[in-house]
Amino acid sequence: MRASVTAHRDYVIADIDNRIYGAFLEHLGRAIYTGIYEPDHPTADKNGMRGDVAQLVRDLNVPMVRYPGGNFVSAYNWEDGIGPKENRPTRLDLAWHTSESNQVGIHEFADWCDTVGTDMMLAVNLGSRGLEEARNFVEYVNGPTGSYWGDLRRQNGRAEPWDVKLWCLGNEMDGPWQIGHKTAEEYGRLAGETAKALRAFDKSLELIVCGSSHSNMPTYPEWERVVLEHTYESVDHISLHMYSSNHDKHTPNYLAHNVKLETYISTVASTIDYVKAKTRSKRNVTISFDEWNVWYHSHKQDRAILDGKHGWPHAPALLEDIYNFEDVLQVACCLNTFIRKSDVVKLACIAQLVNVIAPIMTEPGGGAWKQTTYYPFYFASLFGRGRALNLLVNSPVYESSLAGDVPYLDVSGVENEAEGTLTFFLVNRSGDEPLEVDLSLQGYTDARVVDHQLMVHEDLNAVNSAANPDNVRPQTGSGAKAEGGSLTVSLPPHSYQMVRLSVSKG
């Protein structure tokens, strides 16, 4: 099979906001405890944070991490996580039927973020709590000393405000599973009033209102319309969530999920435009896709804990999907979608970062290793920064019951003008045939391949493990040729490639 792609230097979608390569950590399973925090671990620092995990996170260059939830936040008292650790209460977490020791709270998380070089994206509880608690949390984190909350923060060891800009107004409030679930009218009114209060404290905050938990919700996309009509003038982003699964073991349909993702984003973007026009606003609200990933491998094993059959365990193994090579292709396609929709998607968080549906896994007291999906996220985060190119793609297609005609080639392109590079991320969805790609480079000269990475495996079910951490990993690609204003590259069946070029503009 053959596919053609045209990249023109003047055909640009948008400048990519680096924050689309964000991540998420929730007080869920082993994400925090024996994930990032394990005081007795051989690599632990003075704050009890695992050094081996911190290094793997630093390597990803994650711009921000969302915290502390997730479903967890909807019944969370943030005050439980401050002050002397010996005085902090253990609470029962209703979201995941576990117990929470509160040994990690805002101070510990903030210190960890400094260690790994990332910013905080914090969520307030609008489920079991409301405006007053949200206002107090923001003032504790960002307020000056000389005030009640600022002085309490100083008393707990931190005089300077953290100056956190990103705040999520609750989590998945459209979901009946959520503690404090609300209708769109109820939530929109509460979120609007909360946003007003937070704006009175600091107009420079970036506020994120809850959109749909997924595109199959019965309230979607009416939820977005109602909520935005209450909040359009006071928020900056609306959140969307989506997880991909392959319960049916049907790879072609599975690899079409990002086509559904793209439609989801476009529909909500149209709803934003409608509300903007209806309210006669001059503001632009964009999308925060702050939960996305593959999630289905661990469903059966999690059931007993979620059903309460083991009581209230502390930090049990939950949502520990072990990712295979097939998931590499899915994650790569999702990342391509965020690049292609970078005109409307300005924030995104892979959910989650460590142990819980995560690219990084740990053993308590033992090692940390990279899951298969670590690599496409790594390549996109490091080299997918710059301007997203509006590529013209002509590819053979296959029919999917999930998304209609689906191109075998999934591709995105990024120009980094400062570095003089073009980077292409390419996936061949076909499991039967190689795909020969001819890529025309218009407006670029002196193209030269400077990096070519290939991920391919004979077994779609191949995984990495503590015992075999390098079973699925990138290898140096071969055969990519840049000459005469074009790039040619061959994609083996079911493969992912990253090709980087140094270029001049002609």
Side-chain angles (χ1 to χ4, degrees):
M1 294 190 297
R2 301 198 74 89
S4 63
V5 180
T6 300
H8 194 292
R9 71 174 189 181
D10 295 330
Y11 297 167
V12 176
I13 297 170
D15 290 332
I16 298 168
D17 191 318
N18 293 342
R19 297 176 299 177
I20 68 169
Y21 305 117
F24 176 33
L25 278 171
E26 182 173 1
H27 281 254
L28 193 180
R30 297 194 308 114
I32 303 296
Y33 305 106
T34 73
I36 65 169
Y37 177 77
E38 191 175 352
D40 295 331
H41 194 270
T43 70
D45 64 16
K46 61 183 174 67
N47 296 318
M49 299 298 182
R50 287 184 58 147
D52 55 350
V53 173
Q55 187 56 55
L56 290 174
V57 174
R58 275 193 292 270
D59 290 345
L60 287 174
N61 196 19
V62 174
M64 87 281 186
V65 179
R66 180 172 173 245
Y67 174 87
N71 293 349
F72 173 82
V73 80
S74 291
Y76 177 56
N77 300 332
W78 66 268
E79 302 93 332
D80 292 341
I82 61 174
K85 289 188 177 184
E86 62 271 20
N87 295 337
R88 296 182 190 179
T90 293
R91 301 283 192 188
L92 301 184
D93 170 34
L94 304 179
W96 303 107
H97 213 278
T98 55
S99 64
E100 170 55 50
S101 68
N102 286 299
Q103 293 302 287
V104 172
I106 181 61
H107 286 263
E108 290 79 17
F109 180 68
D111 288 345
W112 179 81
C113 286
D114 284 343
T115 298
V116 300
T118 193
D119 291 332
M120 292 188 282
M121 178 185 192
L122 298 178
V124 300
N125 177 359
L126 292 187
S128 67
R129 308 184 87 184
L131 187 158
E132 182 69 8
E133 293 83 3
R135 169 199 167 187
N136 293 346
F137 188 26
V138 173
E139 288 190 24
Y140 183 87
V141 171
N142 286 356
T145 55
S147 67
Y148 175 81
W149 292 110
D151 286 346
L152 182 59
R153 184 189 63 243
R154 179 173 59 184
Q155 178 183 319
N156 289 328
R158 170 83 183 196
E160 291 299 313
W162 282 294
D163 194 28
V164 174
K165 292 301 183 186
L166 290 169
W167 292 87
C168 302
L169 304 179
N171 173 76
E172 293 186 356
M173 298 309 299
D174 63 325
W177 58 85
Q178 204 72 208
I179 303 298
H181 161 63
K182 294 170 176 60
T183 66
E185 287 284 350
E186 291 168 339
Y187 171 69
R189 182 100 172 86
L190 173 60
E193 290 301 309
T194 303
K196 185 199 306 182
L198 300 189
R199 289 272 183 241
F201 170 74
D202 183 354
K203 291 181 174 57
S204 71
L205 300 179
E206 285 187 62
L207 304 180
I208 301 130
V209 71
C210 292
S212 292
S213 301
H214 53 78
S215 61
N216 294 329
M217 292 294 293
T219 53
Y220 159 81
E222 181 68 0
W223 173 277
E224 278 77 7
R225 180 192 68 79
V226 173
V227 168
L228 284 173
E229 286 183 0
H230 281 289
T231 62
Y232 197 90
E233 289 301 320
S234 55
V235 301
D236 301 282
H237 313 281
I238 185 165
S239 72
L240 301 181
H241 296 172
M242 179 175 166
Y243 294 96
S244 301
S245 63
N246 190 17
H247 291 291
D248 297 333
K249 304 300 180 185
H250 191 280
T251 301
N253 272 347
Y254 178 52
L255 296 183
H257 271 252
N258 76 308
V259 179
K260 183 179 179 180
L261 169 64
E262 202 146 344
T263 300
Y264 184 20
I265 292 169
S266 297
T267 300
V268 173
S270 297
T271 307
I272 293 171
D273 287 343
Y274 168 77
V275 176
K276 179 179 181 179
K278 183 178 180 181
T279 57
R280 307 298 193 266
S281 179
K282 295 182 179 180
R283 300 183 71 256
N284 291 318
V285 171
T286 56
I287 291 171
S288 172
F289 218 106
D290 48 41
E291 286 188 32
W292 70 271
N293 206 343
V294 172
W295 176 18
Y296 73 99
H297 296 286
S298 63
H299 283 183
K300 289 183 180 179
Q301 69 198 46
D302 291 340
R303 201 67 263 161
I305 292 174
L306 298 178
D307 289 343
K309 294 180 180 179
H310 296 300
W312 300 87
H314 178 257
L318 270 174
L319 280 64
E320 295 198 6
D321 275 31
I322 301 302
Y323 293 123
N324 58 30
F325 176 71
E326 183 182 57
D327 299 325
V328 170
L329 306 178
Q330 177 61 31
V331 166
C333 286
C334 289
L335 289 161
N336 279 348
T337 296
F338 294 136
I339 291 171
R340 291 193 297 262
K341 304 300 289 185
S342 56
D343 56 334
V344 292
V345 177
K346 298 301 180 182
L347 311 170
C349 302
I350 190 169
Q352 295 186 17
L353 189 55
V354 183
N355 284 333
V356 173
I357 47 174
I360 299 169
M361 296 297 294
T362 72
E363 285 187 326
W369 70 95
K370 303 170 186 175
Q371 290 238 58
T372 62
T373 56
Y374 182 96
Y375 297 103
F377 188 81
Y378 169 84
F379 288 128
S381 179
L382 265 63
F383 304 116
R385 305 187 183 211
R387 304 196 306 167
L389 297 179
N390 192 0
L391 304 176
L392 177 62
V393 181
N394 187 350
S395 168
V397 300
Y398 67 90
E399 186 176 347
S400 163
S401 60
L402 182 73
D405 286 343
V406 177
Y408 281 110
L409 174 64
D410 192 88
V411 59
S412 67
V414 178
E415 176 194 318
N416 188 315
E417 192 169 24
E419 296 181 357
T421 60
L422 286 179
T423 302
F424 298 98
F425 305 98
L426 309 103
V427 173
N428 181 4
R429 291 188 174 101
S430 172
D432 301 317
E433 297 184 51
L435 191 57
E436 308 300 325
V437 178
D438 300 305
L439 209 155
S440 175
L441 306 172
Q442 298 188 3
Y444 298 102
T445 61
D446 303 322
R448 179 173 57 88
V449 176
V450 294
D451 192 9
H452 182 192
Q453 298 292 326
L454 165 68
M455 292 191 73
V456 66
H457 203 286
E458 60 187 12
D459 181 6
L460 286 178
N461 294 311
V463 301
N464 292 342
S465 65
N468 190 5
D470 296 324
N471 184 37
V472 178
R473 61 173 300 154
Q475 55 187 279
T476 301
S478 62
K481 296 181 180 178
E483 56 185 11
S486 67
L487 168 70
T488 57
V489 60
S490 179
L491 309 182
H494 281 158
S495 64
Y496 162 77
Q497 297 198 39
M498 181 195 74
V499 181
R500 298 185 70 224
L501 307 174
S502 68
V503 294
S504 302
K505 289 190 175 182

